[in-house]
Amino acid sequence: MRDPLHLRPVQFVDTPVGRDGEVARLAGGMLWFAAYDVIERGRRRTVPIAALADLLADERAARLHARITAPRAAMTLGERTLRFDQPSVAAILNVTPDSFSDGGTHGEDPAAAASAGVAMAAAGAAIIDVGGESTRPGAQVVWEGDEIARVVPVVERLARSGTLVSIDTRKAGVMEAALAAGAAIVNDVAALLWDDRALEVVAGAGCPVVLMHSPDPAGGGHGAHGYGNVLTDVFDWLEARIDAVVAGGVDRTRIIVDPGIGFGKTLAENLALLNGLAIFHGLGCPVLLGASRKRMIGALSNEAAADARLGGSIALALKGVEAGVQLHRVHDVAETVQAVRVWRGLRDQALVAG
């Protein structure tokens, strides 16, 4: 069986003005590209948008092109609307004692944690992602009851404030409790594979879900793995997982994908994923990038400590923005929002000047 064909948008341009037929819009967002990097049978070639006819005779290529260029529908979540036509920030709010970067910051005070979340929303975060269990390498599994006790009081307070909340968990019981408390989105690093009931819960709730790649989701996500081509291997895994989740009753328009930076990947593999991020638009779903304060930043900057990785985190967020990533999960909200707003200003000027 031949390797499936993959398309990665390349040759991004400042403006589409005056380039009809030469460029395509990426996922209904603020970026246009002039060519595809076509990956097939271990080989790569560049095909300009102006010369797509022969390529699109291939059924898979036509399907990928349609997914890459189709606008991502906004998600209406109660009184809030989550848009994907421009980049947004999801703020990390850990209520754990042992998260790799900010463990113990909020102690056991739900009111203080919720206040921090509201401040993040005021700083420009579109989503507050609440987690009660660390998923760093070597972290101990938290009993479901303890995780619920950590997150539910915080979720309730945030939801009452009108904040859009996602729950970062692998456990069906925690998903149920958080959704009942007012969370609107499930963010599962195990892509609904760690808990046998997780898919049923998400499908029953009809809520959006983030599916993240890792090589061993049922075992914690950090196991070693040998990739042939990490970029296409992760794409293929997520493509298959989306199909399975849709078959389990989740609407495809409610799925967000995450390539899982730092989970079961070497530094070189993480860098390859970041350089090739635009390929994931071929899945037809909004893309989330979680690279904030990750260990790879320390590896590239004299082993900077987790709380001294702001510059690297901003660099990776902007790398994602330039690849059309719609959601950026970050610790440093105000700084990232500012960076995205400046990028947005540059894009607006280029489009007007064009």
Side-chain angles (χ1 to χ4, degrees), residues 66-138:
R67 288 176 178 172
I68 289 167
T69 56
R72 304 296 180 254
M75 295 180 182
T76 301
L77 304 166
E79 297 181 354
R80 303 295 298 273
T81 298
L82 184 60
R83 295 172 53 183
F84 300 107
D85 58 347
Q86 55 189 299
S88 297
V89 166
I92 298 168
L93 182 61
N94 288 321
V95 286
T96 60
D98 60 343
S99 289
F100 82 96
S101 174
D102 56 355
T105 299
H106 304 295
E108 298 181 0
D109 187 343
S115 179
V118 170
M120 290 173 175
I127 303 169
I128 307 301
D129 190 43
V130 178
E133 178 185 55
S134 175
T135 52
R136 63 179 174 79

Side-chain angles (χ1 to χ4, degrees), residues 79 88 92 98 102 115 118 138 145 169 172 182 195 219 232 235 250 302 315 318 334 347 352:
E79 297 181 354
S88 297
I92 298 168
D98 60 343
D102 56 355
S115 179
V118 170
T169 186
D195 189 317
T232 56
F235 182 100
V250 177
N302 298 317
L318 289 177
R347 292 298 303 148
V352 171

